[in-house]
Amino acid sequence: MNAILSQINYPEDLKKLSLNQLPQLAAEMRKFIIDVVATKEGHLGASLGVVELTIALHYVFNTPNDKLIWDVGHQAYGHKILTGRKDAFFTNRQLNGISGFPKIDESEYDAFGVGHSSTSISAILGMALAAQLKGETDRKHIAVIGDASIAAGMAFEGLNHAGDTNANVLIILNDNAIGIDPSVGALKSYLTEVKEGRNPKANNMIQALNFDYSGPIDGHDLPLVIAELKRLKKKTGPQFLHIVTTKGKGLKQAEENQIVYHAPGKFNKETGDLFPKIEENLPPKFQDVFGLTLLELARQNDKIVGITPAMPTGSSLKYMMEVFPERAIDVGIAEQHAVTLAAGMALDGLTVFCTIYSTFLQRAYDQIIHDVALQNIPVVFCVDRAGLVGEDGATHQGVFDIAFLNAIPNIRILSPKDAIELRNTLFTLQLKNTVPTFVRYPKGRSNQINWQLPFEKIDFNHVEKIKNGNEIAILTTGVICETVLNSIQKLANKDLFSLFHFIQIKPINKDFISEIIKNHKEIIIVEEGSIIGGFGSVVSQFIAKYHSNVKVTCFGIPDVFVEHGTVLEQMEICGISENKLIKFLSKY
């Protein structure tokens, strides 16, 4: 049997195939995705689940003239393979390689950038209405929304608007009952009843929003999917197709363990088995420090509750969920709801720890200001994946939170330097917390193996002197303190430099900065956050106002979106790696 995928580079090649050849193409695409991800890593299960849908969409519709949006974008590996990026797919998520998500400046076939979820319906409706205004009535507009993205508020805002128009939009629900973790909520129950035929058609909520609903159909039945798309292609107005798929389809282990195989790391491409990870005697991930510490505290303090928007495994809130399921809540992909839910619970006397990735916290900015800070409600926000995040790239970098939080009154921002300090920060906050507090910590492992020590209360206003020097003071916040210390220790002129760690970024300890300036002639600030508006910006403003004769140099994330690569590569690009810091400091 001759290979087919090797002949396919663009959808125009795909259209030359007969219907009978497409199942073979699907099998080859699955193998290709598995082979590459097995060695290069990346997202796996989501793209395996939509292989047939991907082929059908490009077979039936005239992309890129017909607009196609994938939501969330980690479903789009097959789409990339069929749209001119097959030969570059091995560079996926690597420095200078293709992005792990659709990206409009990467390909004309990527109609919209989709690294975060639930944006596709609004975006595709905007494109459809624009086409309508321009008289381009022959163009089709398709959004595939899956991996639990339909449950977010923005998706419903889009559905609500689209159903009140005559726009030619086709919304395809890829219903696989799981995001990264299993889907939650009443909507999941509703969709399950629809799939199982237990919900009367008269109760169809999508039809109630004025969509022409069809389905549910088997998303792996390629002839059926193609036939249904051809039928819908001839129709006008808002259409909604409900397809049912299996995340990880075609790889036994990925079907059976969908959480792990969402992004499994390296594995044996022949057997599908994960390569054993030797984690004995390794320091813990910061996420596990958070999750295990919160569970330990929750055993002692029955007022503690945890909240996460769809990330119980990634954030390690799963540890508390397993022991106290009624006190650890997954609200689904709903960051705005998570923040305001936390506010309501805290206002009624509970001690609320709401864990949200930094990049997703951006989605709830109004709720942080209006529902929490303005009312001075003492929620503790655990800001996971703060700083550079590596291969997920520009859509997921956690480098803006210091800057966007710094502008908000009434709040406190903390950035522990290591696992022990994070552990003690959580302990201190559950003893008594009177203001909205944000605790930042990075993706990845700590440097401390023995971190589960007896709790100690922290004075957040205290600035720790890590190293004594005689001329130049380096100010840091968070885990980059270790990188800076390592850099200084390798210098021939290391005695010149003092090193200070500020766990509290806001309110900043201005008196201590003035004390530092009395004993040093120059200040260098290093952070793993945006230079504009970040920690260095706050310190620089204070020094410019009260100590204008002191030279200040800031290192951090420059005014660009940092693309995908390893964290070390990104640090090098941003000038905050050991190599770059040593090169700069050695000039003194």
Side-chain angles (χ1 to χ4, degrees):
M1 187 182 294
N2 294 328
I4 297 176
L5 183 58
S6 61
Q7 306 167 38
I8 308 299
N9 292 304
Y10 287 95
E12 61 199 51
D13 304 319
L14 177 65
K15 295 178 194 297
K16 297 173 185 176
L17 300 179
S18 68
L19 284 171
N20 293 334
Q21 291 176 290
L22 297 184
Q24 181 187 334
L25 175 63
E28 291 181 19
M29 276 180 59
R30 274 203 172 87
K31 185 178 186 304
F32 185 75
I33 292 170
I34 289 168
D35 287 355
V36 173
V37 176
T39 56
K40 300 296 184 179
E41 304 189 19
H43 296 101
L44 181 66
S47 287
L48 292 182
V50 294
V51 166
E52 287 84 5
L53 177 61
T54 305
I55 291 170
L57 285 167
H58 286 293
Y59 193 73
V60 172
F61 292 99
N62 183 30
T63 55
N65 185 59
D66 291 338
K67 300 299 180 183
L68 173 60
I69 300 178
W70 294 90
D71 184 3
V72 175
H74 58 230
Q75 300 175 96
Y77 285 7
H79 162 80
K80 293 202 170 204
I81 290 165
L82 294 179
T83 54
R85 288 163 282 183
K86 180 181 63 183
D87 292 341
F89 188 61
F90 72 96
T91 70
N92 186 42
R93 293 162 49 90
Q94 297 177 44
L95 186 66
N96 301 321
I98 63 172
S99 169
F101 304 99
K103 195 170 180 230
I104 58 175
D105 60 0
E106 185 178 287
S107 171
E108 62 178 338
Y109 289 90
D110 292 357
F112 201 70
V114 273
H116 291 182
S117 81
S118 316
T119 58
S120 59
I121 299 175
S122 299
I124 206 67
L125 178 60
M127 294 174 189
L129 292 175
Q132 206 173 62
L133 288 170
K134 294 190 293 182
E136 298 172 357
T137 56
D138 61 334
R139 176 177 289 169
K140 302 299 178 182
H141 300 84
I142 309 105
V144 179
I145 185 163
D147 264 31
S149 298
I150 191 70
M154 188 174 177
F156 278 88
E157 292 173 26
L159 287 172
N160 180 56
H161 183 194
D164 198 39
T165 72
N166 62 349
N168 289 327
V169 292
L170 169 58
I171 310 302
I172 300 175
L173 172 61
N174 171 30
D175 183 1
N176 60 12
I178 189 168
I180 296 175
D181 287 273
S183 303
V184 296
L187 182 61
K188 178 192 177 181
S189 300
Y190 165 79
L191 292 171
T192 300
E193 290 179 357
V194 170
K195 286 184 286 188
E196 295 176 354
R198 293 188 285 114
N199 193 290
K201 289 189 175 181
N203 292 345
N204 190 294
M205 62 182 293
I206 303 300
Q207 284 181 332
L209 292 170
N210 297 330
F211 278 80
D212 183 357
Y213 172 93
S214 57
I217 66 171
D218 181 356
H220 301 301
D221 186 333
L222 196 44
L224 177 61
V225 175
I226 288 174
E228 186 61 15
L229 291 179
K230 285 183 175 179
R231 185 184 73 82
L232 293 171
K233 184 178 181 181
K234 299 173 184 176
K235 305 192 78 170
T236 59
Q239 310 291 319
F240 192 101
L241 174 60
H242 183 176
I243 73 167
V244 180
T245 65
T246 300
K247 189 166 182 174
K249 180 72 173 178
L251 183 65
K252 182 174 180 286
Q253 292 90 332
E255 292 183 34
E256 294 176 349
N257 197 341
Q258 295 174 328
I259 295 173
V260 170
Y261 280 81
H262 172 77
K266 293 181 180 179
F267 60 94
N268 186 314
K269 67 180 183 180
E270 302 299 334
T271 66
D273 294 333
L274 297 176
F275 292 128
K277 294 180 180 178
I278 302 172
E279 296 191 348
E280 292 182 12
N281 299 320
L282 285 179
K285 295 177 182 177
F286 279 96
Q287 290 66 40
D288 287 344
V289 173
F290 160 76
L292 293 170
T293 300
L294 193 65
L295 173 58
E296 188 177 346
L297 295 171
R299 292 184 191 276
Q300 305 166 17
N301 182 347
D302 61 9
K303 289 188 175 182
I304 288 177
V305 295
I307 296 173
T308 181
M311 292 293 174
T313 299
S315 70
S316 293
L317 189 64
K318 63 179 181 179
Y319 296 120
M320 186 175 171
M321 292 180 101
E322 290 166 358
V323 180
F324 299 113
E326 73 285 357
R327 291 166 56 195
I329 305 167
D330 177 5
V331 300
I333 301 176
E335 292 86 1
Q336 294 172 307
H337 169 57
V339 170
T340 306
L341 176 72
M345 297 184 84
L347 203 57
D348 215 36
L350 296 180
T351 302
V352 184
F353 289 83
C354 183
T355 176
I356 304 181
Y357 292 8
S358 173
T359 185
F360 300 143
L361 189 66
Q362 298 162 183
R363 295 161 63 101
Y365 193 53
D366 180 64
Q367 286 69 31
I368 293 168
I369 294 174
H370 184 271
D371 298 344
V372 179
L374 181 63
Q375 304 181 91
N376 201 29
I377 300 174
V379 178
V380 179
F381 292 97
C382 297
V383 186
D384 194 347
R385 269 71 166 176
L388 296 163
V389 297
E391 290 81 0
D392 278 341
T395 58
H396 282 61
Q397 304 289 18
V399 298
F400 304 113
D401 52 81
I402 298 175
F404 72 67
L405 291 171
N406 246 326
I408 305 173
N410 287 352
I411 74 165
R412 172 169 50 198
I413 307 172
L414 305 174
S415 196
K417 72 179 186 301
D418 54 37
I420 294 173
E421 197 164 72
L422 172 58
R423 172 176 167 81
N424 287 328
T425 295
L426 299 176
F427 168 73
T428 304
L429 289 171
Q430 60 88 43
L431 292 174
K432 184 179 181 181
N433 180 42
T434 58
V435 299
T437 299
F438 297 80
V439 183
R440 309 176 68 251
Y441 50 93
K443 181 180 180 181
R445 293 190 182 276
S446 155
N447 63 348
Q448 296 168 315
I449 293 175
N450 299 316
W451 61 278
Q452 289 177 301
L453 304 176
F455 289 115
E456 294 183 10
K457 189 176 178 181
I458 291 180
D459 175 5
F460 297 128
N461 200 46
H462 173 70
V463 178
E464 183 180 359
K465 191 171 192 178
I466 305 292
K467 180 192 174 296
N468 190 47
N470 50 38
E471 287 192 23
I472 299 158
I474 303 179
L475 281 52
T476 66
T477 185
V479 298
I480 201 166
C481 179
E482 180 188 3
T483 301
V484 177
L485 180 60
N486 290 341
S487 302
I488 294 172
Q489 299 291 15
K490 294 174 182 177
L491 295 171
N493 58 345
K494 61 185 176 183
D495 291 342
L496 294 176
F497 302 100
S498 296
L499 177 60
F500 297 89
H501 164 60
F502 285 68
I503 185 174
Q504 184 165 280
I505 300 170
K506 182 173 183 172
I508 197 76
N509 190 331
K510 297 176 181 177
D511 291 339
F512 201 92
I513 295 172
S514 295
E515 285 298 313
I516 291 172
I517 288 172
K518 287 180 183 178
N519 301 304
H520 299 84
K521 65 180 184 181
E522 186 174 336
I523 303 293
I524 297 171
I525 304 164
V526 184
E527 64 181 305
E528 198 176 328
S530 171
I531 284 181
I532 297 177
F535 170 62
S537 180
V538 172
V539 175
S540 297
Q541 287 174 26
F542 171 75
I543 294 175
K545 185 174 182 179
Y546 295 103
H547 307 277
S548 57
N549 61 323
V550 176
K551 181 182 177 183
V552 179
T553 303
C554 292
F555 288 87
I557 310 305
D559 189 23
V560 297
F561 288 109
V562 181
E563 297 293 350
H564 45 279
T566 66
V567 170
L568 291 177
E569 288 169 339
Q570 291 167 346
M571 291 180 74
E572 188 80 5
I573 290 166
C574 295
I576 55 175
S577 64
E578 278 192 33
N579 288 336
K580 288 295 178 70
L581 291 173
I582 289 171
K583 185 175 181 180
F584 177 81
L585 297 175
S586 62
K587 295 177 182 177
Y588 282 88

